[in-house]
Amino acid sequence: MAKAPPPLPPAVRRSPPTTIESSRDRERLRTVVFPEHSDLARAVAERIVEVIHRETRAKGRAVLGLATGSTPLGVYEELIRRHQAGDVDFSHVITFNLDEYYPMTPDSPHSYRRYMWENFFAHVNIAKQNVHIPDGTIPRERVADACAAYEEAIRAAGGIDFQLLGIGKTGHVGFNEPGSDATSRTRIVTLDTLTRKDAAADFFGVENVPREALTMGVATILDAKEIALLATGEHKAAIVARAVEGEISTDVAATFLQRHQSVTVYLDLPAADELTRIKTPAPSTARSSTGCATRFVAGPSSRRTSGCSSSRPIPMTTSSRWAAFSASCGRTRTRSSSRT
Ligand code: GLP
């Protein structure tokens, strides 16, 4: 007779996501910083699940605006996991993607259509006809009409309930490069040199990166009911600080988010590194009138009662930033001893 399998280890109790919250008097956008990328992905996915439940209950469908790039991959993984766990049904979800390179064939490894199917849609029960992605194969003379039709399809769906965004090093959201204004709608754009250089490795050389793209406009994005801007990694720190703390300007399309009523910026610690509250955590800037509201919460990786534990070593720069950030708030907490 086959030997009984060993008993499963007890389930690890999931704690609320780990976040850092502090004074934000320089911040013009609601910003939440997560020590762990996985916590960020879980928090965003949880919010999306809530929106899907709320909207499908209220109107029979939910409309999501979706992004590509490496940043949202963890969110898609988590949404797939939640779907497989039976937590969320995508059969009444309608999606609109932000952008696509132009020209671009759908089967190209660089196409955003392929990215979306491989990384998300193929793993959930979304209906094919509910997926909308700008078509990189449209003949040039029909591009303007196709872009107008894309706007019309968003309107016909009742508008976007939740828009997911990444940010490029130029400050673009979608492919709204410097110069894009607040009235811009879905259209064809010329990509910034920096954007093409950033994509060069994926395309095996900058000369292979398309020079143009189709993108929702700034106004299209701002029409969404709720917006989440995600950024991870130190290479995003400077542009994140500009978007969150800088003046609104056509130089940085992400600054237009400051005009929206319901935006949350989700960052990991390296991407938050240039925010004043972390870069210059002097008591005068790190305290608000209500005092420093630092909040460290144990993450899912924590098996102890202590907070913010991580199985991964914390790079020196990150841990010293963290220490400076905590000290500026007049706390003696460390990553392994703080908890609220
Ligand atoms: C591309 C996309 C953007 C995305 C950006 C950042 O330019 N058009 O929508 O936000 O890349 O990509 P990543 O998340 O890989 O840094």
Side-chain angles (χ1 to χ4, degrees):
M1 197 173 125
K3 214 173 140 198
L8 291 169
V12 176
R13 193 169 58 81
R14 287 205 175 273
S15 308
T18 307
T19 63
I20 308 170
E21 308 225 358
S22 181
S23 167
R24 336 166 156 163
D25 44 7
R26 302 271 181 107
E27 294 169 19
R28 298 155 184 238
L29 290 169
R30 177 176 183 268
T31 303
V32 190
V33 185
F34 294 81
E36 296 292 329
H37 186 177
S38 54
D39 291 333
L40 182 159
R42 255 190 299 273
V44 175
E46 172 58 24
R47 185 67 193 136
I48 292 173
V49 169
E50 281 169 12
V51 170
I52 291 172
H53 288 162
R54 184 192 70 207
E55 295 298 327
T56 47
R57 260 198 312 270
K59 63 180 190 212
R61 63 175 184 268
V63 184
L64 304 179
L66 298 179
T68 51
S70 54
T71 315
L73 284 173
V75 175
Y76 295 139
E77 276 170 25
E78 180 62 11
L79 286 173
I80 293 166
R81 192 191 69 73
R82 297 287 301 267
H83 170 69
Q84 288 169 350
D87 291 346
V88 59
D89 170 17
F90 287 89
S91 62
H92 298 289
V93 172
I94 300 173
T95 64
F96 290 89
N97 261 75
L98 281 165
D99 48 18
E100 177 60 283
Y101 288 107
Y102 185 83
M104 182 56 64
T105 54
D107 54 339
S108 161
H110 307 299
S111 102
Y112 286 166
R113 183 170 300 263
R114 183 160 166 180
Y115 166 109
M116 288 306 301
W117 280 98
E118 286 183 354
N119 293 301
F120 185 36
F121 297 144
H123 311 282
V124 296
N125 65 333
I126 196 158
K128 203 173 173 198
Q129 67 273 16
N130 286 347
V131 168
H132 304 82
I133 302 173
D135 182 356
T137 67
I138 215 90
R140 189 169 288 272
E141 63 278 12
R142 286 183 25 221
V143 162
D145 286 348
C147 290
Y150 204 71
E151 290 280 329
E152 183 47 39
I154 295 173
R155 265 193 299 276
I160 291 172
D161 297 310
F162 184 96
Q163 177 67 58
L164 193 60
L165 296 176
I167 184 168
K169 276 205 221 147
T170 60
H172 69 215
V173 284
F175 269 133
N176 290 286
E177 298 287 26
S180 301
D181 71 33
T183 65
S184 54
R185 292 276 167 190
T186 304
R187 67 204 188 287
I188 189 164
V189 292
T190 301
L191 295 177
D192 194 272
T193 306
L194 178 56
T195 299
R196 293 185 65 236
K197 279 188 186 152
D198 270 353
D202 288 342
F203 283 83
F204 307 108
V206 72
E207 64 282 4
N208 301 322
V209 181
R211 293 182 177 277
E212 293 175 300
L214 306 173
T215 183
M216 282 186 197
V218 174
T220 324
I221 292 168
L222 293 181
D223 279 348
K225 272 192 219 152
E226 177 177 342
I227 298 174
L229 176 70
L230 280 53
T232 55
E234 61 187 343
H235 60 300
K236 296 289 176 72
I239 196 64
V240 162
R242 176 74 182 83
V244 171
E245 299 188 358
E247 299 283 332
I248 295 176
S249 163
T250 53
D251 292 346
V252 177
T255 58
F256 288 115
L257 298 176
Q258 295 173 21
R259 292 191 181 156
H260 194 277
Q261 292 303 304
S262 186
V263 176
T264 303
V265 180
Y266 295 80
L267 305 175
D268 69 358
L269 197 54
D273 218 27
E274 294 286 324
L275 293 180
T276 303
R277 64 161 131 151
I278 291 172
K279 187 182 182 192
T280 318
S284 57
T285 55
R287 284 171 197 276
S288 68
S289 54
T290 54
C292 183
T294 304
R295 184 156 70 88
F296 296 164
V297 184
S301 55
S302 176
R303 285 155 205 253
R304 296 167 288 158
T305 50
S306 56
C308 299
S309 70
S310 166
S311 50
R312 273 183 279 148
I314 303 155
M316 199 52 208
T317 50
T318 302
S319 83
S320 49
R321 282 276 189 232
W322 190 289
F325 176 72
S326 306
S328 76
C329 299
R331 309 286 169 99
T332 53
R333 290 172 170 182
T334 65
R335 284 177 70 98
S336 61
S337 65
S338 55
R339 186 179 172 95
T340 31

